[in-house]
Amino acid sequence: MRSLLAISLLFLSIFSAKAQENKGVTVSVVLENVLSEQGEILAALHTSETFMKGMGIDGYETQAKKGQLVFSFTGIQPGVYAISIMQDLNSNQRMDFEENGMPKEPYAMTGTMSMGPPSFQDASFEVGTEDLEIRIRF
């Protein structure tokens, strides 16, 4: 009887450990330098498949507030991701552009920003097994 109890406890502990491993990590984002309270802040967590193509695998939206904004993506599995953020000044749920193709609204990404459209490689970061904080500046 004791061996049956011991085996049951062993399986239960293995199952519990696997369940904890699969819950993912939290990626906290600190957005710095929001210059106005106009419109909304829209953020998206992307994989290489969703980058610059759509909504991303997770999103965040809130009313814009001057200064610093902190939010999180939770349950993120290890992998390579990028975050895009924009301030939707006119609340139309999309980026607006000047006639010359330049964005009219503030935006930022993880990684390095260069001239021209951003690439996933330049914007990407790696998520491991530990919670992560990322600072992004408009």
Side-chain angles (χ1 to χ4, degrees):
M1 184 70 169
R2 286 185 188 219
S3 61
L4 182 59
L5 181 60
I7 290 171
S8 297
L9 289 175
L10 176 66
F11 281 118
L12 183 59
S13 66
I14 290 171
F15 179 74
S16 295
K18 286 289 184 192
Q20 288 177 351
E21 286 176 23
N22 293 333
K23 72 177 185 175
V25 301
T26 298
V27 177
S28 298
V29 179
V30 179
L31 176 61
E32 301 171 333
N33 202 37
V34 178
L35 296 177
S36 79
E37 296 186 0
Q38 183 179 351
E40 292 88 31
I41 301 295
L42 307 176
L45 179 69
H46 293 278
T47 63
S48 61
E49 290 80 26
T50 65
F51 187 72
M52 300 297 287
K53 296 176 188 158
M55 300 294 291
I57 62 166
D58 199 358
Y60 176 81
E61 180 177 346
T62 191
Q63 178 64 41
K65 293 187 177 126
K66 278 179 122 174
Q68 180 174 287
L69 176 66
V70 179
F71 60 92
S72 298
F73 297 108
T74 58
I76 308 305
Q77 297 299 313
V80 179
Y81 300 91
I83 297 172
S84 63
I85 304 174
M86 68 168 283
Q87 186 171 356
D88 185 12
L89 297 173
N90 59 0
S91 302
N92 66 354
Q93 298 290 305
R94 64 183 179 92
M95 174 68 78
D96 295 312
F97 295 90
E98 300 285 351
E99 287 183 25
N100 65 4
M102 295 298 293
K104 286 184 175 181
E105 298 167 305
Y107 71 97
M109 305 233 172
T110 48
T112 57
M113 296 282 287
S114 59
M115 297 299 285
S119 72
F120 181 75
Q121 182 177 358
D122 288 341
S124 65
F125 62 94
E126 191 163 347
V127 172
T129 57
E130 302 287 325
D131 289 349
L132 184 63
E133 179 182 279
I134 295 177
R135 299 182 86 75
I136 301 174
R137 186 173 175 82
F138 266 159

